[in-house]
Amino acid sequence: QKLILDWLSEEAWKGPEQQEEIANFGALDIIHNIICEEEANFQLLNSALWLMQNLAYSNTVNKDRIGQLGGIEKLFKLTKRYSQSCTHDNLEKSTVVESALAALVNSIIDHPKNNKRTIVCGLDVLLDLAESYIDDKKPEISKGIERNKGIRSVECRKAGFENGHLATLLLEIIK
């Protein structure tokens, strides 16, 4: 499944015709099923989110479909579920959050309805992530270890920082 999703993502990136064709074959329904699974495989989940990101890129029709299928709400539920503090054993969760936020960027940019959906269902999640970004920009980054009550590796700190930065960018988009 992962290989198929990765191949479809590459195809979707080629242009609007491929995006439409892939979406018409039910790719968005498949993606939504995967992102709703409680125990989804991280690699499969990231591949599904990458496909969603590529299907939404500069494609109003697919952005409409994502919104109509409840995709914005599902992406925020997924982000909230995986955006726990990053410890040594859950770097994979940070990559899922990053993938979900990237899919959100492409799904809401230049799309007023999905922007409104973001404000209604995801503002709290974005504010929490953005706050962690602002906290990590402070000179005392090591305080994050105490604050999160866990060991944060360099990779986890970087992933958390990037997710907070993505959340900050999303907040800028929905202004």
Side-chain angles (χ1 to χ4, degrees), residues 125-135 163-165 167-168 171:
V125 175
L126 292 177
L127 289 171
D128 287 345
L129 286 169
E131 185 176 282
S132 71
Y133 169 68
I134 292 166
D135 287 347
N163 290 341
H165 183 66
T168 302
L171 288 168

Side-chain angles (χ1 to χ4, degrees), residues 20-47:
E20 294 295 323
E21 187 177 347
I22 292 166
N24 288 336
F25 282 118
L28 290 171
D29 292 320
I30 293 167
I31 292 167
H32 288 227
N33 289 337
I34 292 170
I35 66 175
C36 288
E37 288 180 28
E38 289 289 326
E39 298 297 321
N41 172 288
F42 290 115
Q43 292 175 339
L44 184 64
L45 196 48
N46 278 322
S47 292

Side-chain angles (χ1 to χ4, degrees), residues 31-150:
I31 292 167
H32 288 227
N33 289 337
I34 292 170
I35 66 175
C36 288
E37 288 180 28
E38 289 289 326
E39 298 297 321
N41 172 288
F42 290 115
Q43 292 175 339
L44 184 64
L45 196 48
N46 278 322
S47 292
L49 292 167
W50 181 36
L51 178 55
M52 180 184 265
Q53 177 184 348
N54 287 350
L55 289 173
Y57 181 78
S58 293
N59 190 308
T60 303
V61 173
N62 284 342
K63 291 177 189 190
D64 289 342
R65 291 176 183 165
I66 289 167
Q68 291 164 355
L69 290 168
I72 303 301
E73 295 82 356
K74 290 174 185 175
L75 285 168
F76 276 112
K77 283 182 184 178
L78 179 74
T79 301
K80 188 172 187 172
R81 188 168 69 225
Y82 284 96
S83 65
Q84 307 167 15
S85 62
C86 185
T87 61
H88 67 282
D89 63 342
N90 69 4
L91 179 58
E92 289 175 323
K93 291 182 181 180
S94 285
T95 62
V96 169
V97 171
E98 181 180 357
S99 297
L101 291 172
L104 279 162
V105 167
N106 283 359
S107 298
I108 71 168
I109 201 160
D110 296 327
H111 198 278
K113 283 185 180 180
N114 287 349
N115 258 326
K116 289 178 186 173
R117 288 181 175 102
T118 297
I119 292 168
V120 170
C121 69
L123 194 57
D124 58 333
V125 175
L126 292 177
L127 289 171
D128 287 345
L129 286 169
E131 185 176 282
S132 71
Y133 169 68
I134 292 166
D135 287 347
D136 278 349
K137 286 190 78 159
K138 292 179 181 173
E140 302 167 356
I141 290 177
S142 62
K143 294 279 185 191
I145 294 171
E146 298 168 13
R147 182 178 62 246
N148 294 319
K149 297 184 170 76

